[in-house]
Amino acid sequence: MDAAKSAGATRVRKLRLRIGTLSGVVPESMRFAFDVVCHDTMAQGATLEIETVPAACWCATCQAEFECENFFNECPRCHDVSGELRRGRELEIADVETS
Amino acid sequence: MCQECGCGSGGGDVKIGAHTHEQEHHHHGRERGHEHSHEHHDHGHEHGHAQGKQTLNLNRSLMEKNALLAERNRGFFHAKKLLVLNVVSSPGSGKTTFIRETAAKLGASLRVGVIVGDLATDNDAARLRTAGIPVVQITTGTVCHLDADMISKAAAQLDLDQLDVLVIENVGNLVCPADYDLGEDLRVVLLSVTEGEDKPLKYPPMFHSANVAIVTKNDMATAAGFNRDLALANLNRVSHHAHIFELSAKTGDGMKAWLDYLTNQRAAVNGK
């Protein structure tokens, strides 16, 4: 909202968040909280768009990433175990649409 | 309020030592209300060019503020030659006893100070204070974790020049504290033998983020029917990069390995 204000906007219409599948954030809860937090602010009634970032691990053997669903994973190519998470913990504001 | 569980939304001020600090997000909430009402007047004439739709690319982490404060804490603590531990576990795993015994056994070789976080009461601080350890209690009200800002305020109440190791006893919770860097050197997670071997599998973000994992209350392992091999296998799976210690703070069994490790870690910080 500070960014929107400094850009001279009076309303926030849409907010786009980037949320990793292993960030611990539940999109449904985020949506619920979003409406409550926006009430009586310049973002009242704004749309919340959530972009999901699939988690990925780095396999040192294959020198490549592979998608994963947890913190400890087996590389689908060489079956080595990797816990080096490269993506999936994101909790970021991508952009806001204002007017 | 934390993004994990929404704690802190019901009010209650954070109290650090003898002072009360209004929770910042509440403050912002109020500020926002005021600014909003002014805005319509102040920017009325600007509507012409601001009215059109525009997209502002922000690409900023929601945790950015805490991350910046945590890095500032880390720099400050390093300048003070302090080794800083963030001790996390579920409620009742034995954090306070473990910290008290660590401080007592280090004795004069390394001087330990503690910042302790709880939702309410200063019972833990009192237990540590009785043992002669310098301690600041943070009562978080309804907030389920400590953040970097609370730590910098609490640390200001300790005479850091008289300390070698600063231990932060986090709020007993294996979920939300995982997301809050406090500026520590080492995150130490405790798993007591009475909790069940599958805790690391149930709370992977916390165990995954730990530098050290400690199996506590080892003296009760037999009575609790603790399956040591399974617990270690689970720990190795989730906290695969962590140093693992097994000990009983109560009997002192296994404490030496941990204290030696701590002494080495502190020497490394001192050399920086």
Side-chain angles (χ1 to χ4, degrees):
Chain A
M1 267 188 261
D2 288 343
K5 271 182 217 159
S6 11
T10 52
R11 293 290 307 270
V12 170
R13 299 284 177 191
K14 191 160 109 182
L15 174 70
R16 209 155 55 85
L17 293 182
R18 216 174 273 135
I19 297 180
T21 48
L22 292 180
S23 67
V25 175
V26 183
E28 288 74 30
S29 310
M30 185 57 103
R31 284 183 199 284
F32 177 77
F34 182 73
D35 292 340
V36 177
V37 170
C38 291
H39 187 71
D40 264 352
T41 71
M42 70 190 290
Q44 180 153 350
T47 317
L48 175 65
E49 205 176 282
I50 295 178
E51 183 188 317
T52 305
V53 183
C57 263
W58 174 254
C59 174
T61 316
C62 301
Q63 290 287 301
E65 281 185 0
F66 62 92
E67 281 200 10
C68 59
E69 287 174 358
N70 226 318
F71 286 87
F72 32 92
N73 300 281
E74 204 179 282
C75 170
R77 286 174 291 263
C78 68
H79 302 287
D80 271 3
V81 174
S82 164
E84 201 188 321
L85 209 59
R86 283 283 168 95
R87 278 184 282 130
R89 296 278 293 156
E90 291 80 359
L91 178 54
E92 298 167 356
I93 303 182
D95 51 48
V96 281
E97 211 173 277
T98 63
S99 62
Chain B
M1 186 168 76
C2 77
Q3 82 286 349
E4 291 277 351
C5 71
C7 66
S9 49
D13 290 336
V14 174
K15 215 174 140 207
I16 299 171
H19 312 289
T20 302
H21 294 261
E22 204 172 315
Q23 272 167 243
E24 253 174 274
H25 43 273
H26 289 166
H27 193 54
H28 280 304
R30 269 173 226 154
E31 250 176 22
R32 226 177 263 147
H34 291 304
E35 281 175 26
H36 187 59
S37 58
H38 292 312
E39 186 118 343
H40 295 298
H41 309 297
D42 293 346
H43 293 274
H45 57 279
E46 281 180 310
H47 277 197
H49 68 88
Q51 213 147 38
K53 255 193 192 176
Q54 57 171 328
T55 304
L56 308 172
N57 284 311
L58 297 176
N59 293 314
R60 283 163 66 174
S61 167
L62 289 178
M63 299 298 289
E64 182 182 83
K65 192 178 167 198
N66 186 72
L68 287 173
L69 286 171
E71 283 309 326
R72 199 164 74 180
N73 283 351
R74 209 178 329 270
F76 175 69
F77 292 145
H78 277 179
K80 293 278 180 193
K81 305 276 183 202
L82 278 170
L83 174 70
V84 182
L85 312 181
N86 178 7
V87 180
V88 291
S89 79
S90 47
S93 294
K95 288 187 293 299
T96 310
T97 306
F98 167 71
I99 292 167
R100 190 189 65 210
E101 289 309 306
T102 298
K105 290 201 162 58
L106 284 171
S109 67
L110 289 178
R111 299 159 299 175
V112 178
V114 181
I115 294 172
V116 51
D118 280 298
L119 267 64
T121 83
D122 67 344
N123 293 352
D124 282 354
R127 288 167 65 197
L128 293 164
R129 208 173 282 125
T130 311
I133 302 163
V135 55
V136 178
Q137 172 84 49
I138 302 177
T139 47
T140 58
T142 52
V143 183
C144 64
H145 60 272
L146 297 178
D147 64 35
D149 186 45
M150 295 179 201
I151 295 305
S152 65
K153 284 174 181 148
Q157 295 186 28
L158 286 168
D159 187 358
L160 299 178
D161 293 324
Q162 298 301 315
L163 300 177
D164 304 303
V165 180
L166 177 63
V167 181
I168 301 162
E169 180 181 340
N170 217 315
V171 178
N173 176 359
L174 280 174
V175 185
C176 313
D179 281 338
Y180 289 81
D181 183 2
L182 304 178
E184 71 266 24
D185 296 298
L186 298 173
R187 186 173 286 189
V188 182
V189 65
L190 267 52
L191 166 70
S192 68
V193 297
T194 53
E195 287 175 71
E197 301 81 2
D198 56 353
K199 269 277 162 77
L201 304 183
K202 286 179 176 169
Y203 300 90
M206 180 62 91
F207 281 91
H208 186 77
S209 73
N211 306 102
V212 179
I214 297 187
V215 179
T216 57
K217 305 190 186 181
N218 225 2
D219 53 305
M220 293 165 72
T222 313
F226 182 65
N227 184 337
R228 177 177 177 269
D229 291 343
L230 181 59
L232 290 181
N234 289 340
L235 272 177
N236 278 317
R237 200 168 157 208
V238 185
S239 326
H240 44 82
H241 44 267
H243 290 264
I244 299 175
F245 297 93
E246 299 167 78
L247 53 85
S248 162
K250 197 172 151 193
T251 64
D253 184 39
M255 284 292 279
K256 193 182 175 301
W258 157 245
L259 297 173
D260 289 347
Y261 170 79
L262 209 54
T263 307
N264 284 334
Q265 291 295 314
R266 150 70 190 168
V269 169
N270 206 6
K272 269 182 192 162

